[in-house]
Amino acid sequence: MPEAKKIAILGSTGSIGTQALEVVAAHPGQFEVEVLTAGGNADLLIEQTLQYKPNAVVIADESKYPYVKEALASEPVKVYAGSEALAQVTESDAVSVVLTALVGFSGLEPTLRAIAAGKHIALANKDTLVVAGKLVTEAARQAAVNLYPVDSEHSAIFQCLAGEWQNPVEKIYLTASGGPFRGYSAAQLETVTRTQALKHPNWSMGQKITIDSATLMNKGLEVIEAKWLFALKASQIDVVVHPQSIIHSVVQFTDGSMKAQMGLPDMKLPIQYALAYPHRITSDFPRFDFLKYPQLTFEPPDTVSFRCLGLAYEAMAQGGNMPCVMNAANEIAVAEFLRDRLRFTSIARVVETTMQRVSFDAAPDLGVLRASDAEARRVAMECAAG
């Protein structure tokens, strides 16, 4: 039996992180947990540490370091705190795969550090490629590091391309459930609540990504991510609404043939595929039954009522630091909506206004992206308050 892969999970207390640990627990001979990190959920990080026995843990919120350190004092585990420590642990010689499941811009620098250290990346943080797709993909190419997509849609494309790398792709179709407000008019969206927006019809996800799914911004972020992951042009990436979430995405080749990856909506499958690649390992995930889904339907996305998808295409077309600006503004707008300080329909307004106001840079380096992210957050807060 091959040696177990040693995994670092960045963001182990979030939705993807907790599901990744379920995958690890189901396959003790395949995977071992080497590193766990959390933002501020100290209690769950402690619980995970006691169960999975990693070699090191990081709590990004430095104020909670004494609490975590004391709780794990009797355990043979190294305890660190802060963003620099979070980036450093990815460089450990013992780590073979880094699962980046951090939310937002915070995932960028740890991912770049892990790539520089020669670690293969299981990428669940789509913002990393949205913000700095050119930097990340060039770094991965230079370091001969693989990027394994964890998003269900990008995992589907990746699986469809297996064995087809030499064949040119004509187009890909990213499927979207349409979220909880599919079919709503712009007027109906004016009155939706936080509670309604957090009720996704098919997927169990964290709060931020659930709201992004409701606005269709999540699909916009995925379009930009797909451009970088698969070296595609915007004209080669289409979005189609598929309410049943059974077909996770489709690749169309230049001969007209199409390949789709199908299955029940369960994030553990793409997580397991990314961690185990190039092998498929047995799972007890629920199986799809065609007779329970006699009809699969498809429709175009409504980019008038759901403006965020169009904004993502605009940011991708403009390039440079604009996707970074869009991403930062969206993070602020979603956070304000979740605090009941902003209307659902104002999320797109804040993002669009911020994109118009922040300085554009056509060829940003990491320093420029940091500055753009900070400027966009400041401008977005002003827009949200106004």
Side-chain angles (χ1 to χ4, degrees), residues 29-44:
Q30 300 277 348
F31 311 115
E32 291 179 11
V33 176
E34 180 68 18
V35 175
L36 296 176
T37 82
N41 193 339
D43 288 327
L44 183 51

Side-chain angles (χ1 to χ4, degrees), residues 58 80-90:
V58 180
Y80 304 107
S83 57
E84 175 60 23
L86 193 150
Q88 285 182 349
V89 291
T90 65

Side-chain angles (χ1 to χ4, degrees), residues 362-376:
D365 58 17
L366 186 56
V368 169
L369 290 174
R370 288 195 198 101
S372 297
D373 178 78
E375 183 185 359

Side-chain angles (χ1 to χ4, degrees), residues 129-199:
L129 289 181
V130 170
V131 168
K134 190 171 189 293
L135 294 181
V136 173
T137 52
E138 286 183 354
R141 194 175 301 113
Q142 290 171 6
V145 161
N146 293 325
L147 302 176
Y148 301 126
V150 170
D151 272 346
S152 62
E153 295 81 2
H154 301 87
S155 175
I157 299 297
F158 187 58
Q159 292 180 59
C160 290
L161 289 173
E164 300 275 8
W165 306 115
Q166 76 282 8
N167 292 320
V169 172
E170 185 169 281
K171 186 172 289 244
I172 68 169
Y173 296 87
L174 299 178
T175 56
S177 70
F181 307 127
R182 182 176 64 90
Y184 277 42
S185 66
Q188 287 175 303
L189 290 173
E190 286 287 343
T191 59
V192 303
T193 66
R194 174 183 183 275
T195 300
Q196 289 174 313
L198 287 172
K199 290 182 179 177

